[in-house]
Amino acid sequence: MISSNANDERFMREALLEAKKAAEKDEVPVGCVIIKDDTIIARGHNTREAEQSVFAHAEITAMRHACERLRTWRLEGCTLYVTLEPCPMCAGAMIQSRLSRLVYGTKEPKFGAHGSVIDLFMQPFNHHVEVKPGVLADEAAQMMRVFFKELRNKSD
């Protein structure tokens, strides 16, 4: 069973808590949780700076943990909640994993793959992910604004 829309804000708040963990580590505040049967099965937040890895996105980390927990690469029946519109790499991984549903917070105008730059979810792949944008978008966007403002102030 896929998480119902009634739970979208509740689970997005969990993703925002993950984003806060990233910000506390001086990482871009992106957080993610993956749900199956209304239960959180995986969490992740950005760790690109700490790991010096292009792959250390919140979504990739959470998807890797979810696959380990489920003992399969297929994330059918799962919903991924992330605070920021996914990039092409993460969107591609979601499609490849057969993720059922994506819920995200705010748009990503520089790298977004759900219409901001490109819409990979509308391409004629053999799997289609249901996408719901804009859940707690203001909170997610505010977290990003504060982080980058503080980062600019540090470099002055």
Side-chain angles (χ1 to χ4, degrees), residues 66-149:
C67 290
E68 288 169 0
R69 180 161 180 186
L70 297 174
R71 297 179 187 203
T72 180
W73 60 268
R74 292 176 181 87
L75 296 179
E76 296 162 324
C78 294
T79 299
L80 185 148
Y81 292 84
V82 64
T83 57
L84 187 66
E85 177 184 7
C87 72
M89 175 181 69
C90 293
M94 291 172 197
I95 294 165
Q96 288 284 335
S97 73
R98 314 304 195 258
L99 182 75
S100 293
R101 188 164 178 259
L102 162 66
V103 178
Y104 71 86
T106 193
K107 288 289 202 176
E108 189 359 321
K110 295 180 181 176
F111 291 99
H114 181 244
S116 290
V117 175
I118 190 171
D119 193 343
L120 288 181
F121 297 101
M122 293 302 295
Q123 300 305 310
F125 296 114
N126 68 330
H127 176 76
H128 294 280
V129 177
E130 176 189 334
V131 182
K132 181 177 180 181
V135 175
L136 301 181
D138 292 340
E139 290 91 330
Q142 178 65 15
M143 191 176 291
M144 296 292 280
R145 281 191 295 274
V146 167
F147 175 81
F148 283 108
K149 181 180 180 183

Side-chain angles (χ1 to χ4, degrees), residues 29-45:
V30 180
C32 178
V33 296
I34 298 178
I35 310 307
K36 185 166 177 93
D37 300 325
D38 287 328
T39 301
I40 296 173
I41 62 166
R43 296 175 177 270
H45 57 271

Side-chain angles (χ1 to χ4, degrees), residues 16 24 29 46 53 61 65 102-103 125 143:
L16 285 164
E24 290 169 353
N46 258 0
S53 172
T61 299
H65 292 312
L102 162 66
V103 178
F125 296 114
M143 191 176 291

